[in-house]
Amino acid sequence: MKYVLVTGGVVSGLGKGVTASSIGVVLKACGLRVTSIKIDPYLNTDAGTMSPFEHGEVFVLDDGGEVDLDLGNYERFLDLRLTRDNNITTGKIYQSVLEKERKGDYLGKTVQVVPHITDAIKDWIESVSAIPVDGKEGPADVCVIELGGTVGDIESMPFIEALRQLFFSVGPDNFCLIHVSLVPVLGVVGEQKTKPTQHSVRELRALGLTPHFLACRSAQPLLENTKQKLSQFCHVPGANILNIHDVPNIWHVPLLLRNQNAHEAILKQLALLRVAGPPNLQEWTTRAETFDNLTNSVKIAMVGKYVGLTDSYLSVVKALLHACIACSLKPSIEWIAASDLEDESAKLTPEAHSKAWETLRGSACVLVPGGFGDRGVTGMILAAKYARENKIPYLGICLGMQISVIEISRSILGWKGANSTEFDEDAPNPVVIFMPEGSRTHMGNTMRLGSRRTLLQTADCITAKLYHNPEYVDERHRHRYEVNPKVVGELEQSGLRFVGRDESGERMEILELSNHPFYVGVQFHPEYKSRPGRPSALFLGLVLAATGQLEAYVKSHQNGSI
């Protein structure tokens, strides 16, 4: 196994994940099989209990793993199906070591960070890197490892030591270290500063790792004298100093690396030049250029709880991007804080309330994504009601589907007390209830998680036509609450159609509204499996409906002409 380690220095949030993914794309384009591992040095066992404001969205894998959003980047860029073990955290490592200690596996020895924790990290990396994640048999050729955080963080020290030992054990031909750093320009001087990178590399070398490559993040392309300076003071050959400057969209990053011959230098370092071919990035080039040249856009109202940090809905944003590009459009996402739509907001913050409603009314479609807790729920219900009454295309995901059920129960069936037991445990009309699979006391890993099959109840529904499958869909879930099966009969009499159910028939998975151009709610998260060039069916349906193309699209696919 060949390893490519990506570390970061100076500041966090430099784009290590996109850099690591792009390196994987270029190596894959050379004909190599690639897998990836993300190391998160925090003590949480996984990302499941983290606030989206704290750490961005929680990405869910097929096996139900709740992981860092960077694994979403890997899956989208490299078209992989990763496992929960591809995300290593300090919590997981310590938990596994302590379990062994309790069982007596260490035979009475004093359990220490070195060698026991570091050995556990090495063993985990070596075993997980051998698991195929691209649908083929046998291990991949290259494993790209991203070490989260910044070099010098106390919490990442055991990982750096373990990776130093791994480098020593596998040998220089099987290990390549790429250090991502920042080259800032100070406003007053206007000069590209190399000192932060020099300090960062010095820190890394003091810990026993010397980078083979520097991936320098900057606003503008690096000047030649900046490169020479970095080469001289960081002991990295000039040809191995890669510049990842700001680009119009992230699909340009693999092309940037290719244009700097990064693939040749990395393959040389890993002794793979004879095995790999020239990179075929035609599809990426077309995609990046197509997006740059798009002029028409579609306004999409995103009504959510965590709109202050767009990374909270990263997969939803990417799924909208994939769908819009398939329709030759640029997404214009209008972020609306759900609480700003509420009547209470009209009294407290009238300007925000007025602007939120103006934005909603000016959008071509409405999307209500997932979320937890009762803040903003009233605003989401108002958004769903507005979309239903005004025949505006609507897609509700997870909580967004439950919002539809609550709104229709109140507005059409007249159940004023209709609510979810998540928001009101004593609701007189509990139309959304706690599901039996979960635990009420433990928050982590207690939900209905991972890829589950949804059986379509009829082929005559918009979902079946968009998925081009009249029988079932397989999508990933992350939720605790479900539509109450006892009220389904009455809801269906109101015009709602539950066209998708789980294999037991008890759990409502997909709803559609009769006599509406596009009103769909799903209990699962279709955004997690959306890919560039292969958009999620429901996001594509939403964008097509918003631009008046849905009917023509469905007819053309029924006739088999496209």
Side-chain angles (χ1 to χ4, degrees):
M1 177 63 66
K2 310 279 186 179
Y3 297 97
V4 176
L5 171 62
V6 179
T7 60
V10 185
V11 291
S12 58
L14 276 178
K16 290 191 302 297
V18 172
T19 304
S21 303
S22 300
I23 289 162
V25 166
V26 175
L27 294 176
K28 188 178 177 185
C30 291
L32 298 171
R33 290 176 61 199
V34 179
T35 183
S36 60
I37 292 174
K38 172 72 193 293
I39 296 173
D40 283 304
Y42 47 67
L43 276 167
N44 304 58
T45 306
D46 59 32
T49 56
M50 287 187 180
S51 160
F53 285 125
E54 182 91 14
H55 210 69
E57 77 166 2
V58 176
F59 191 80
V60 178
L61 302 170
D62 273 353
D63 66 359
E66 296 174 283
V67 295
D68 187 86
L69 57 81
D70 277 321
L71 275 84
N73 276 329
Y74 302 152
E75 284 210 342
R76 283 186 289 269
F77 268 63
L78 298 166
D79 199 13
L80 303 174
R81 294 284 176 89
L82 299 172
T83 70
R84 69 176 77 230
D85 289 339
N86 289 82
N87 191 194
I88 305 175
T89 68
T90 299
K92 283 181 183 176
I93 295 293
Y94 275 78
Q95 192 173 45
S96 69
V97 169
L98 289 171
E99 280 173 4
K100 282 184 178 180
E101 186 272 332
R102 289 291 84 187
K103 285 191 288 186
D105 289 1
Y106 295 114
L107 303 174
K109 287 184 179 173
T110 305
V111 180
Q112 296 175 290
V113 173
V114 180
H116 302 103
I117 295 293
T118 51
D119 283 352
I121 294 166
K122 284 189 294 179
D123 292 345
W124 194 303
I125 289 171
E126 289 179 316
S127 63
V128 170
S129 62
I131 299 169
V133 289
D134 56 1
K136 298 175 185 174
E137 289 186 6
D141 302 307
V142 180
C143 177
V144 179
I145 305 169
E146 180 196 344
L147 175 62
T150 308
V151 168
D153 294 346
I154 290 173
E155 56 192 8
S156 64
M157 291 299 181
F159 291 101
I160 288 183
E161 173 57 22
L163 290 161
R164 184 195 66 76
Q165 292 177 22
L166 181 68
F167 177 27
F168 184 73
S169 63
V170 300
D173 285 352
N174 297 312
F175 197 93
C176 172
L177 171 51
I178 300 172
H179 188 59
V180 183
S181 185
L182 177 68
V183 178
V185 172
L186 298 185
V188 183
V189 186
E191 179 192 355
Q192 292 179 336
K193 293 292 185 185
T194 63
K195 195 62 78 177
T197 301
Q198 290 178 43
H199 283 301
S200 181
V201 170
R202 186 182 301 160
E203 180 94 37
L204 192 57
R205 294 177 73 198
L207 296 168
L209 285 170
T210 299
H212 300 107
F213 293 82
L214 291 180
C216 299
R217 289 284 293 111
S218 59
Q220 299 297 326
L222 281 190
L223 300 172
E224 196 54 41
N225 69 324
T226 309
K227 275 192 173 185
Q228 288 172 3
K229 212 171 174 183
L230 285 167
S231 176
Q232 186 179 356
F233 292 112
C234 299
H235 293 249
V236 175
N240 289 7
I241 294 176
L242 311 172
N243 182 206
I244 303 175
H245 55 77
D246 291 352
V247 286
N249 64 72
I250 59 170
W251 293 330
H252 281 282
V253 180
L255 308 179
L256 262 185
L257 293 170
R258 189 266 321 266
N259 294 344
Q260 295 173 67
N261 291 319
H263 57 287
E264 285 185 10
I266 294 169
L267 292 170
K268 185 179 176 184
Q269 172 63 36
L270 295 173
L272 285 171
L273 275 172
R274 290 183 180 178
V275 181
N280 177 12
L281 286 168
Q282 187 54 52
E283 198 179 319
W284 280 88
T285 307
T286 307
R287 192 177 293 133
E289 290 174 354
T290 301
F291 182 70
D292 288 346
N293 296 324
L294 291 176
T295 50
N296 297 333
S297 64
V298 56
K299 279 191 177 178
I300 303 157
M302 179 94 86
V303 184
K305 291 179 60 173
Y306 317 114
V307 295
L309 180 70
T310 54
D311 270 5
S312 305
Y313 299 114
L314 187 64
S315 291
V316 176
V317 171
K318 297 298 181 191
L320 286 170
L321 176 63
H322 302 158
C324 285
I325 287 177
C327 301
S328 300
L329 294 164
K330 270 193 173 178
S332 173
I333 299 174
E334 303 289 338
W335 297 93
I336 300 173
S339 51
D340 287 346
L341 294 170
E342 297 172 6
D343 294 341
E344 190 71 19
S345 168
K347 301 170 196 167
L348 300 173
T349 51
E351 279 186 21
H353 179 264
S354 165
K355 189 171 183 296
W357 274 103
E358 187 184 325
T359 305
L360 184 64
R361 293 190 180 105
S363 300
C365 57
V366 178
L367 194 157
V368 177
F372 296 91
D374 60 356
R375 185 174 57 81
V377 163
T378 305
M380 293 178 201
I381 290 170
L382 290 167
K385 185 177 184 181
Y386 166 79
R388 178 180 61 79
E389 291 179 344
N390 293 279
K391 300 279 197 282
I392 305 295
Y394 174 89
L395 176 60
I397 297 171
C398 196
L399 175 62
M401 169 181 168
Q402 297 169 8
I403 291 293
S404 300
V405 170
I406 296 168
E407 190 275 316
I408 285 169
S409 300
R410 291 179 184 179
S411 303
I412 296 180
L413 293 176
W415 299 344
K416 299 299 177 194
N419 212 335
S420 165
T421 55
E422 181 182 5
F423 317 131
D424 180 3
E425 287 199 2
D426 304 314
N429 300 102
V431 293
V432 176
I433 57 170
F434 187 83
M435 66 182 205
E437 271 185 17
S439 158
R440 282 186 179 275
T441 52
H442 284 69
M443 297 292 282
N445 201 24
T446 57
M447 292 182 271
R448 191 158 192 253
L449 287 163
S451 186
R452 305 292 181 100
R453 179 153 292 186
T454 295
L455 303 180
L456 296 171
Q457 307 300 298
T458 170
D460 184 26
C461 64
I462 196 66
T463 305
K465 290 167 185 172
L466 286 168
Y467 275 97
H468 312 304
N469 186 338
E471 294 178 9
Y472 65 86
V473 298
D474 290 326
E475 293 284 8
R476 298 175 185 177
H477 293 66
R478 184 177 186 252
H479 60 97
R480 289 190 181 89
Y481 290 80
E482 303 267 4
V483 176
N484 187 346
K486 291 177 182 173
V487 300
V488 166
E490 288 166 277
L491 283 166
E492 289 196 315
Q493 287 171 10
S494 73
L496 263 190
R497 299 168 66 211
F498 289 98
V499 298
R501 303 187 182 202
D502 78 331
E503 288 164 320
S504 72
E506 286 294 299
R507 298 171 189 272
M508 303 304 119
E509 294 280 2
I510 308 169
L511 66 78
E512 293 182 9
L513 187 62
S514 308
N515 304 315
H516 194 286
F518 186 89
Y519 190 99
V520 178
V522 289
Q523 190 58 72
F524 48 77
H525 288 265
E527 68 270 24
Y528 291 139
K529 286 168 89 167
S530 181
R531 301 283 183 268
R534 206 167 68 243
S536 162
L538 294 172
F539 282 86
L540 182 62
L542 178 70
V543 173
L544 288 167
T547 52
Q549 303 175 66
L550 181 59
E551 204 172 321
Y553 172 87
V554 168
K555 277 182 183 171
S556 66
H557 277 71
Q558 279 178 331
N559 299 335
S561 62
I562 293 180

